[in-house]
C-alpha cells in the first residue's frame, strides 16, 4: 500500500460526515441499542447483524468507522474490534478449533496467548506443540494430521525472532491449515501479513494503534468469510466488544499513527545502535540490528519495526541489574509498550534470586520501548544508569 492510501485511510476512510452534520470527528454513539420504524426494517437488519445497527455488542457506528480503517490498513476485507488484544486472540483461536484438534505455535508467544493454549484449551481436548522460529523448518516437523492452526508472532515481542511469512503461508495452505499472526509488533505500517498469504491478523491495539497508553483494545483482520464466522459465534457470545468511547479514542490515536510509528522506529534504532556498541551490553536483540546478511531478504517483508527491542547486560549480579533499572529517570518501569512514553521491562522483576529457572526471563534481560522522547536524552539516561553495572 502506498503512503497516500494510508493517509486517506487514517484521515477519511469509513467516515460518513454527511450523516452527522459535517462533523470532522465521528460522534461517539453512546447507545446500547438502536430502534426501527417497521418490522420489515428490523427483520432486514437481523439478516446482516454484522453490518447493521441493532445492538452495540454486535456493531455500533463509531466502532464501524474504526473497523473499516483497520481492515483497509491490513489490506483485508473486514475487521472486528475487541475490548483487549487477548480477547481478539482468544475468540479467533477458538473459532477455528474443536475437541481433538492440534495447534502449532511459536515457542515464546505473548504470555496470555501461551496460557490460552496450555491451560484453557487443554481442558477442552485441544493439543499444542511449540516450535523454535530460529530452527529452520521446525514448525513443519511439528504439524500432524489434526493440526488446524499455525500461530506465529514475527517479530516475536520477547525474542525478536522473525519468520518468512510467505513460506509459512504456502506450507499451511497446502495442508489446509489456517495461519494466524499476532502483528502487534510491526503493525500494518511496517508489515501487512495478508500480502504474504497469512489468513488472520491479530493486534493488541493497546499498543501502537491506540498509542496513548489510555485504552486496552484488540483487533482481528481477515477475509469476510472468516470474520463473519468469528462475528456470528465467538464475537457475539464471548461479548468482548469495544465501547464506543474507546473506539473513538482509537480513531483519534490513528490520526497520528504514522508519525508516531516513524518517530518510535527512528528513535529505537538510534538508542539500540548506541547500546549495541556499549561494553557492558552482552547482546542486543533488535529485528533490524541483530541479523546477519543471510537474513536480510527476510527483513524485506518488514519496512520498519517500531521502538521495541531488548538487550542483555554483561553481569552476573542481580543487584546491579536492579540498581541499573532503578536509576533510570527517563524510562518508566512498566509492562506494555507502543505509547508516547519510553519504558523498561527488567527480567529481574520476575526473579527473586540469581538462579535462572528454565523458560523464565534471565535477570540480565531488559526490554526497552522507545517512545516519542528525544533519543539523545534517553541515551544520556542509559549512560548514567549503566555506571552502576
Ligand atoms: C500486549 C500484547 C498482547 C495482549 O494485548 P492486550 O491488549 O493487553 O490484551 C498480545 N500480543 C502482544 C504481542 C502484546 O504485546
Amino acid at each position: 500500500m502506498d503512503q497516500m492510501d494510508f493517509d486517506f485511510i487514517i484521515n477519511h476512510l469509513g467516515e460518513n460526515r454527511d450523516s452527522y452534520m459535517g462533523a470532522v470527528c465521528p460522534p461517539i454513539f453512546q447507545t446500547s441499542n438502536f430502534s426501527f420504524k417497521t418490522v420489515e426494517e428490523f427483520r432486514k437488519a437481523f439478516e446482516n447483524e454484522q453490518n447493521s445497527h441493532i445492538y452495540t455488542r454486535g456493531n455500533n457506528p463509531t466502532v464501524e468507522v474504526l473497523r473499516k480503517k483497520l481492515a483497509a490498513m491490513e489490506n483485508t476485507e473486514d475487521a472486528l474490534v475487541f475490548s483487549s488484544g487477548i480477547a481478539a486472540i482468544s475468540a479467533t483461536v477458538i473459532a477455528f478449533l474443536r475437541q481433538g484438534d492440534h495447534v502449532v505455535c511459536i515457542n515464546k508467544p505473548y504470555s496470555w496467548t501461551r496460557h490460552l493454549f496450555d491451560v484453557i484449551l487443554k481442558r477442552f481436548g485441544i493439543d499444542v506443540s511449540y516450535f523454535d522460529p530460529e530452527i529452520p523448518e521446525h514448525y513443519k516437523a511439528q504439524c500432524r494430521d489434526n493440526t488446524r492452526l499455525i500461530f506465529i508472532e514475527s517479530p516475536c515481542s520477547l525474542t525478536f525472532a522473525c519468520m518468512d511469512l510467505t513460506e509459512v503461508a504456502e506450507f499451511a495452505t497446502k495442508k489446509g491449515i489456517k495461519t494466524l499472526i499476532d502483528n502487534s509488533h510491526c503493525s500494518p505500517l511496517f508489515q501487512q501479513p495478508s500480502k504474504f498469504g497469512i489468513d488472520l491478523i491479530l493486534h493488541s491495539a493497546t499498543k501502537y494503534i491506540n498509542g496513548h497508553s489510555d485504552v486496552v483494545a484488540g483487533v482481528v483482520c481477515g477475509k469476510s468469510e472468516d470474520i463473519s464466522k468469528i462475528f456470528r459465534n465467538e464475537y457475539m457470545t464471548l461479548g468482548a466488544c469495544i465501547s464506543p468511547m474507546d473506539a473513538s479514542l482509537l480513531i483519534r490515536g490513528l490520526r497520528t499513527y504514522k508519525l508516531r510509528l516513524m518517530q518510535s522506529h527512528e528513535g529505537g534504532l538510534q538508542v539500540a545502535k548506541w547500546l549495541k556498541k556499549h561494553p557492558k551490553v552482552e547482546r542486543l536483540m533488535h529485528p533490524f540490528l541483530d541479523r546477519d546478511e543471510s537474513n536480510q531478504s527476510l527483513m524485506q517483508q518488514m519496512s520498519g519495526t517500531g521502538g521495541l527491542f531488548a538487550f542483555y547486560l554483561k553481569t552476573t549480579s542481580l543487584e546491579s541489574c536492579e540498581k541499573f533499572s532503578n536509576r533510570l529517570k527517563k524510562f518508566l518501569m512498566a509492562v506494555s509498550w507502543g505509547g508516547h512514553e519510553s519504558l523498561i521491562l527488567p527480567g529481574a522483576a520476575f526473579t527473586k534470586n540469581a538462579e535462572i529457572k528454565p523458560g523464565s526471563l534471565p535477570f540480565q534481560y531488559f526490554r526497552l520501548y522507545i517512545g516519542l522522547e528525544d533519543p539523545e536524552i534517553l541515551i544520556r539516561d542509559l549512560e548514567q544508569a549503566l555506571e552502576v553495572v
Side-chain angles (χ1 to χ4, degrees):
M1 183 178 300
D2 66 39
Q3 292 305 322
M4 272 305 287
D5 282 345
F6 236 103
D7 293 339
F8 175 76
I9 293 166
I10 286 169
N11 288 295
H12 306 294
L13 185 88
E15 300 185 48
N16 194 1
R17 295 189 173 110
D18 289 348
S19 68
Y20 28 79
M21 299 172 165
V24 169
C25 295
I28 303 167
F29 284 88
Q30 191 69 34
T31 182
S32 57
N33 49 353
F34 299 82
S35 60
F36 294 85
K37 287 219 168 62
T38 65
V39 173
E40 177 58 23
E41 266 181 51
F42 206 4
R43 189 186 290 135
K44 253 184 119 168
F46 275 125
E47 280 164 13
N48 182 14
E49 180 151 14
Q50 194 181 333
N51 299 306
S52 308
H53 306 129
I54 300 175
Y55 190 55
T56 286
R57 174 152 47 76
N59 194 24
N60 170 286
T62 311
V63 178
E64 200 169 17
V65 172
L66 182 61
R67 280 176 54 197
K68 286 186 176 150
K69 287 185 193 292
L70 293 167
M73 284 164 71
E74 277 294 7
N75 191 45
T76 54
E77 289 170 356
D78 205 351
L80 294 172
V81 192
F82 293 75
S83 56
S84 70
I86 196 63
I89 293 168
S90 301
T92 304
V93 163
I94 290 168
F96 298 97
L97 293 175
R98 60 172 65 181
Q99 188 184 12
D101 284 349
H102 176 245
V103 177
V104 168
C105 181
I106 185 175
N107 60 356
K108 296 215 166 57
Y110 175 69
S111 55
W112 293 104
T113 303
R114 185 146 183 154
H115 196 85
L116 169 70
F117 291 127
D118 286 347
V119 179
I120 314 279
L121 295 183
K122 275 264 154 73
R123 293 210 307 257
F124 297 91
I126 292 160
D127 230 3
V128 59
S129 304
Y130 295 100
F131 67 90
D132 184 347
E134 305 284 9
I135 304 175
E137 319 259 291
H138 193 209
Y139 67 95
K140 296 183 184 172
Q142 299 292 335
C143 286
R144 309 174 187 161
D145 290 343
N146 60 339
T147 304
R148 298 283 171 262
L149 301 181
I150 298 179
F151 189 103
I152 65 169
E153 286 183 24
S154 178
C156 170
S157 68
L158 280 177
T159 67
F160 306 92
C162 296
M163 298 185 71
D164 184 326
L165 301 185
T166 308
E167 196 189 286
V168 175
E170 279 176 2
F171 168 80
T173 307
K174 260 187 232 143
K175 300 221 163 223
I177 300 171
K178 282 241 184 271
T179 45
L180 279 65
I181 185 170
D182 180 336
N183 198 32
S184 308
H185 183 107
C186 275
S187 88
L189 183 67
F190 295 137
Q191 175 172 276
Q192 296 166 325
S194 71
K195 290 190 172 163
F196 307 100
I198 302 291
D199 295 312
L200 290 144
I201 297 107
L202 296 149
H203 285 282
S204 169
T206 312
K207 314 293 162 57
Y208 288 130
I209 289 172
N210 179 58
H212 291 72
S213 305
D214 51 9
V215 173
V216 175
V219 183
V220 59
C221 301
K223 292 189 191 72
S224 295
E225 190 190 340
D226 287 341
I227 297 297
S228 295
K229 178 179 157 69
I230 300 166
F231 177 85
R232 286 194 308 272
N233 300 293
E234 289 71 21
Y235 189 78
M236 287 304 285
T237 51
L238 298 178
C241 63
I242 191 171
S243 70
M245 177 70 200
D246 283 351
S248 160
L249 285 168
L250 258 69
I251 292 167
R252 181 159 87 159
L254 281 183
R255 306 292 195 203
T256 55
Y257 167 73
K258 219 174 82 181
L259 283 173
R260 291 186 285 103
L261 269 268
M262 298 303 287
Q263 170 74 25
S264 185
H265 171 76
E266 290 299 330
L269 272 176
Q270 197 175 325
V271 176
K273 279 181 185 160
W274 182 84
L275 275 169
K276 192 176 179 167
K277 285 193 294 208
H278 199 284
K280 289 177 182 171
V281 171
E282 174 81 41
R283 184 181 163 203
L284 180 84
M285 299 152 92
H286 182 287
F288 274 23
L289 299 178
D290 191 23
R291 308 273 149 201
D292 56 29
E293 285 301 309
S294 65
N295 257 320
Q296 287 303 311
S297 69
L298 199 148
M299 293 299 96
Q300 283 168 6
Q301 71 193 15
M302 303 153 52
S303 61
T305 156
L308 192 69
F309 62 90
F311 65 92
Y312 286 98
L313 277 183
K314 207 179 276 177
T315 175
T316 52
S317 157
L318 171 61
E319 199 191 340
S320 71
C321 288
E322 282 185 40
K323 276 192 182 150
F324 161 73
S325 311
N326 297 347
R327 219 170 129 137
L328 287 167
K329 292 187 176 65
K330 307 288 179 186
F331 291 81
L332 299 178
M333 203 189 294
V335 296
S336 197
W337 47 277
H340 50 90
E341 76 290 9
S342 292
L343 302 170
I344 184 156
L345 179 71
F350 304 95
T351 24
K352 273 209 197 102
N353 48 43
E355 71 175 275
I356 297 170
K357 281 183 250 130
S360 71
L361 288 176
F363 63 81
Q364 296 94 335
Y365 174 98
F366 299 85
R367 190 176 73 178
L368 280 191
Y369 167 68
I370 306 304
L372 306 180
E373 303 96 327
D374 182 346
E376 283 300 333
I377 291 173
L378 298 174
I379 288 171
R380 254 174 273 143
D381 193 34
L382 287 164
E383 193 167 31
Q384 66 80 23
L386 278 166
E387 278 167 24
V388 297
V389 179

